[in-house]
Amino acid sequence: MIDIPEYLRPVVALGCPALGSIFILLFGRRPNLREGVTLLAGLLQFLIVFSMVPTVMSGKTIQSYLFPILPGIHFGFRVDAFGLMFAITASFLWILVSIYSIGYMRALQEHAQTRYYFCFALAIFGAVGVALSGNLVTMYIFYEILTVSTYPLVAHEQSSEALFAGRKYLAYLLTSGVFLLAAIVFTYSMAETTDFSPKGILSLAFSSRSTLIFLFVFFILGFMKAAYFPCHSWLPTAMVAPTPVSALLHAVAVVKAGVFGIVRTVCYIYGIDLMRDLGLGIMLASFAALTMIGASLFAVAQDNLKKRLAYSTISQLSFIIFGVALLSPMGVTGAMIYIPFHGFMKITLFLCAGAILVASGKKNISEMAGIGRAMPITMLAFTVGALGMCGAPPVAGFISKWFLAIGAIQSGQMVFLALLLIASLLDVVYFYPIIRTAFFEKMPQDEVLKEREAKVALFSKKTEIIETRRPLYYFILLPIAITASFSILFCLFPDLFHIYGLAQAAIRDLFWRF
Amino acid sequence: LVVVVSLLSAITIFIAGWINRKTSCYISIATLLGQFIASLFILHHVMTIGPIYYRLGGWVPPWGIEYVMDALNAYVLVILLFLGLVCVIYSKRNIEHELPQKVVSFYTIYQLLITGLCGITVTGDIFNMYVFIEITSLSAYALIASRGKIALKASFTYLVLGSIGACFFLLGIGFLYAITGSLNIRDLSLLLPPFYGNKVVLAAFVFFIVGLSIKMALFPLHTWLPDAHAFAPAEISAMLSGIIIEVATYAFIRVAFSVFTPRFLRLLPVFDILCWLGAAAIIIGSILAITQVNLKRMLAYSSVANMGYIVLALGLSISARTAPWGGLNPALMHILNHALMKGCLFLVAGAFIYKADLWYITDFQGLGKKMPYTCAAFVIAAISMIGVPPSVGFASKLYMILASIESGKPIFVAVLLISSLLNLVYFWRIIETMYMKRAEGENHSHASHKAHVQRAEVPLGMLLPIWVLASLCIIMGILWLANVPTPILNQVNAMFRLDMMP
């Protein structure tokens, strides 16, 4: 593995899921082999991506350009600290979600599993491609692959509701892709390059202020995957997908690709200075703040656990956008480390939601009274995740929120600090009831239970621990335990996987190089 | 030696049409394969050494008929023969199924069609071009009508409109001949410049444009196309949409850029008008496509829209100049790309009809399971029409957008982008039906998913062509992005002096 020349590593890293997807199709009739391939591809990919860390940490970038697309644009990869952070997160979580999927999909006897694993691999291919790509055009290509490949996952259920969700998903995201393409092309026609650069490639020299602001709006519309208000509604609708997919959509691939794109645009296309000159930071921050608070309020009203988590995601994503929009070193640091940290925490929450669904068949929070006793490990993990979301130590969310808060102070906008704290408080408001219901409320009485014939069996003994009832469930529990413990470890050792170091390296590039 | 290759290519076409009565299909395949390989050699020769001139009967050009091969028509010839080859392989099974009594005549006329198309492409003489256009059209009428019944009406509409188009073209030739006394394209381009202001020349030009626009099914002269496409056998629809209207476009390029010159075109606002017509075709074609329930009709309207793309790219060609997307590049690119995509889609539509007699989109429920390979090919071609990277559709879309920005007409960027959304609407509807909607009567319980779905795939002879085209949609897309074929296009531009500043 170590022998691979450095410039080829991004290509090989992408090759893993791409080849993997082909093998998955070939082995469609043999589930064990098929899932083995998925795991193997994930593991290899993670190792390769991780092997790039030392170089990038030393302040260099790994570049590999394959072939020219247009003058000044190559199809190629440029691995820098920020991209690597995202790639590590995505590839590591892919392994875990794959393990989880095995348990989840088999336990529920889902149909079309080959298609499911195939699209999953393709989606990861797209996500890691977005992370590693060296310019906007390459990124756009992977971005669209990601969009298309997740459609079958969203519509997996094939019920009319799922179809509607899928259609909505595509309508939103491909439309936004169109905006993105337009923005990219205009950028190219102005700057004659679309390579990411820590200084930004656009400047006032190219065009008037209003044009640049207009272009920025196009970019933001293009990254609709970030699910900011008022373009967020595809995300809760997409919750009909199987839970591992929701976990993928929310924690790893899709929404993070959107946020990632926004950070890229702000920091590497416009550059911090230009953003400040144009006053776009304030604009973006206000939008993000609106989303943070609005989405939290929506979340309170949801009874379906996954939908509530979806709104929570919308809100959390805007924390990231918010951090970047502060345009201060600490704010951007916070935003960058928020991406992996939120990834780990949110995936824990979603996996828990899925586990509850598999083991007890429950989707709504109001039905979950006392479930903490039946599924202690799951709910413990859930609690960890939820605490992290609220920003309480000792969970990773604390660190990232800490940086965001310092960033807000650095940028001198006390209003934003207040907004940040209010939004965090709202996180508590919508997570607390879940925990309370799960642990402190009594389970429904037997008479009520008998009406739900299918579920009675599961609860015949009140304190039976249902989460380990079948050996298959260990596939589900293991990833949950891992992500939850990582969520805590990230707080105690933020430099695990060099996440913090990478963020520092990226910030050095952005703020102190010129 | 090269002249011999060219000669071989030309002569085999002529002979094959009349001789192969018995084992017609195999002879057709062999001939086309030979021609295709020959055309590749020609392309290579043209690229490395230079244009080929072949004088028919040894007469010296202005009087005798001359065949000219340069980068432009070598390129078109390769596309044309490739698609012809793919379709004929496909047709073997399909025609035996659909038209059992008419196999021989089918292949005879098919060869005639190819002859006509090759003729249009290689000829260096404008009257000769007219003759070949007529050959092409007549054989196309016959092929469209071959299913009988309602197809006859479609064919008749095409016949009437096509003849009108041809008349316009002939009138144009007559006017030019009256002015210059020559019919040779190179000769004309030398003789014409002094007459550029002349009313007669202008009239001739307009006649050419109108005549060819009918053949190209350029909006608003597209009315013959949907019926013709919908009722022809699948491979003929594929040829019609993928090649016949494209070759008409080639003729258009030839007339506009070889007979006349870009200098002449800049005198008139013709190309601006073309841009707008193209844009209108794109939008209206796509909207009409959305309203269709018959798959082949829908594809036909999509062809109208795609011709709009090509014409729009043509219209932009004289104002965009930067190397990779300047000049004719986007238009030529899209000619190839559209041939691949639409060819594939029509063949797939044919496969559905062949296997299950399915014409309507709503009947496609559950096909994704029944015919997995065919449907997968459809999906690839469809996302390529939508323009998702890294497919061919994305490459053309990107280049056209860049071209329209450079020409300073951002409005067309909007048109292109909106149209890709419209494409999304009408193609995704089908994909969704094929894969996601459950077939009627199928249970919602999980047990029924386990039940083995009966596969009913089309025979390999039909599947292979479909997959060749589908995979080329992706491979060519990457090649375009990697700029592999651009030298050919650049040579075309150099030929018409489009790469230079005015």
Side-chain angles (χ1 to χ4, degrees), chain B residues 288-363:
Chain B
L288 286 175
I290 293 176
T291 61
Q292 301 303 315
V293 286
N294 179 326
L295 175 59
K296 285 177 82 176
R297 274 185 87 87
M298 192 203 86
L299 293 179
Y301 277 110
S302 154
S303 292
V304 173
N306 272 286
M307 291 313 290
Y309 280 118
I310 296 176
V311 171
L312 172 58
L314 266 181
L316 294 170
S317 64
I318 50 170
S319 39
R321 241 165 248 97
T322 321
W325 58 85
L328 287 168
N329 283 4
L332 293 178
M333 246 173 111
H334 202 66
I335 289 182
L336 170 59
N337 295 347
H338 181 234
L340 290 176
M341 299 185 286
K342 219 19 110 31
C344 182
L345 289 171
F346 269 115
L347 293 188
V348 171
F352 293 155
I353 292 166
Y354 172 85
K355 203 67 213 173
D357 206 19
L358 295 176
W359 289 79
Y360 294 99
I361 291 168
T362 40
D363 295 339

Side-chain angles (χ1 to χ4, degrees), chain A residues 141-365:
Chain A
I141 292 176
F142 285 107
Y143 192 80
E144 291 287 272
I145 291 177
L146 180 60
T147 311
V148 174
S149 64
T150 38
Y151 166 78
L153 297 175
V154 172
H156 183 87
E157 205 60 29
Q158 300 188 357
S159 57
S160 58
E161 192 192 354
L163 279 182
F164 172 73
R167 219 176 293 151
K168 193 166 175 182
Y169 174 78
L170 267 193
Y172 269 84
L173 294 190
L174 283 182
T175 314
S176 89
V178 162
F179 279 111
L180 181 58
L181 184 61
I184 290 173
V185 170
F186 278 111
T187 308
Y188 176 57
S189 71
M190 277 192 254
E192 300 197 330
T193 174
T194 60
D195 286 348
F196 299 125
S197 142
K199 296 184 202 70
I201 56 170
L202 289 170
S203 74
L204 279 175
F206 292 123
S207 191
S208 64
R209 296 175 70 88
S210 50
T211 318
L212 285 175
I213 293 176
F214 194 61
L215 186 62
F216 189 74
V217 173
F218 263 57
F219 266 115
I220 296 298
L221 280 176
F223 292 114
M224 214 178 270
K225 281 195 175 121
Y228 44 81
F229 270 23
C231 306
H232 66 282
S233 78
W234 61 271
L235 189 55
T237 321
M239 283 301 106
V240 290
T243 310
V245 175
S246 313
L248 174 88
L249 285 176
H250 287 70
V252 196
V254 178
V255 292
K256 285 292 154 55
V259 172
F260 181 83
I262 290 184
V263 179
R264 272 279 194 240
T265 312
V266 170
C267 298
Y268 295 82
I269 295 295
Y270 274 74
I272 301 287
D273 286 345
L274 181 62
M275 287 292 292
R276 207 172 277 149
D277 282 353
L278 293 175
L280 286 171
I282 305 286
M283 197 179 92
L284 192 59
S286 330
F287 251 95
L290 174 73
T291 313
M292 286 190 312
I293 296 189
S296 302
L297 293 175
F298 273 100
V300 177
Q302 300 296 323
D303 187 34
N304 182 318
L305 179 56
K306 279 172 77 181
K307 286 228 165 115
R308 186 176 288 197
L309 291 179
Y311 277 105
S312 154
T313 309
I314 296 172
S315 152
Q316 300 291 325
L317 289 171
S318 283
F319 274 93
I320 303 176
I321 303 176
F322 184 76
V324 176
L326 291 174
L327 300 177
S328 58
M330 282 302 164
V332 180
T333 314
M336 284 183 174
I337 58 177
Y338 217 119
I339 290 182
F341 287 2
H342 175 252
F344 274 90
M345 295 183 300
K346 202 29 109 7
I347 213 164
T348 313
L349 294 174
F350 269 105
L351 298 185
C352 291
I356 295 171
L357 179 72
V358 170
S360 72
K362 293 180 178 178
K363 283 182 174 171
N364 292 331
I365 297 165

Side-chain angles (χ1 to χ4, degrees), chain B residues 116-130:
Chain B
L117 291 171
C118 291
I120 298 175
T121 324
V122 298
T123 188
D125 182 289
I126 198 159
F127 186 74
N128 200 235
M129 186 186 260
Y130 166 75

Side-chain angles (χ1 to χ4, degrees), chain A residues 29 67-71 109 111 140-141 144 151 155 157-158 163 167 170 174 178 181-182 185 188-189, chain B residues 324-325 388-389 394 397 399 401-402 405 417 420-421 424 428 432 435-438 446 449 455 481-483:
Chain A
R29 300 239 169 257
F67 47 78
I69 301 176
L70 297 166
Q109 300 188 338
H111 63 282
Y140 175 76
I141 292 176
E144 291 287 272
Y151 166 78
E157 205 60 29
Q158 300 188 357
L163 279 182
R167 219 176 293 151
L170 267 193
L174 283 182
V178 162
L181 184 61
V185 170
Y188 176 57
S189 71
Chain B
W325 58 85
V388 174
F394 172 65
K397 194 168 77 176
Y399 278 50
I401 290 175
L402 287 168
I405 286 188
L417 294 175
S420 70
L421 286 181
L424 172 73
W428 209 267
E432 199 181 271
Y435 280 98
M436 298 300 178
K437 291 227 175 96
R438 292 199 172 92
H446 286 301
H449 296 303
R455 286 206 181 175
L481 288 179
N483 282 330

